[in-house]
Amino acid sequence: MKVAERQEAQRIATELAAIARSGQVLAGTITERRTRCSNPNCRCMADPPEPHGPYYQWTRKIRQKTVGRWMSREQRDDYQPWIDNHRRIKELLARLEEIGEAALAADPRWRR
Ligand SMILES: [Zn+2]
């Protein structure tokens, strides 16, 4: 493995460790939703419409099934960074995988 890649791997390890130490990692996504009810006299049906909400929904896929929970705005503000951390871990892991593949491709023992 090249020196540059080894150094990059060490930087990735440092960042991964910091995220892991925080313990703030959450899979899934948080979506902001606004809804309309079925009451024709409601402001959500007015012109212009004023939908209900915003509501915040955390969703995550567990074994092909999507599970979701409604959360408060305060919960959304608290947990969005956890979700960002999860995405960052996946990015860092993908980069490590690229480094591994490059090292394998550069192995001089491949037969021609
Ligand atoms: Zn309504």
Side-chain angles (χ1 to χ4, degrees), residues 36-37 39 42-44 52:
R36 291 183 198 195
C37 68
N39 179 352
C42 184
R43 62 188 167 84
C44 71
H52 300 276

Side-chain angles (χ1 to χ4, degrees), residues 7-8 38 45 72 87 91 102 105:
Q7 287 172 342
E8 186 182 358
S38 55
M45 304 291 264
S72 68
R87 187 184 318 112
E91 283 172 6

Side-chain angles (χ1 to χ4, degrees), residues 90-104:
K90 288 199 291 187
E91 283 172 6
L92 294 171
L93 180 59
R95 183 60 195 136
L96 283 174
E97 289 170 350
E98 284 174 9
I99 291 172
E101 280 175 34
L104 179 64

Side-chain angles (χ1 to χ4, degrees), residues 2-3 9-10 12 18 21 25 32 53 55 58 69 82 85 87-88 93 108-109:
K2 292 180 204 144
V3 173
Q10 280 170 11
I12 290 171
R21 252 195 313 276
V25 177
E32 182 178 316
Y55 305 111
W58 169 74
R69 289 195 77 165
W82 295 40
N85 282 341
R87 187 184 318 112
R88 184 63 181 150
L93 180 59
R109 293 168 296 179

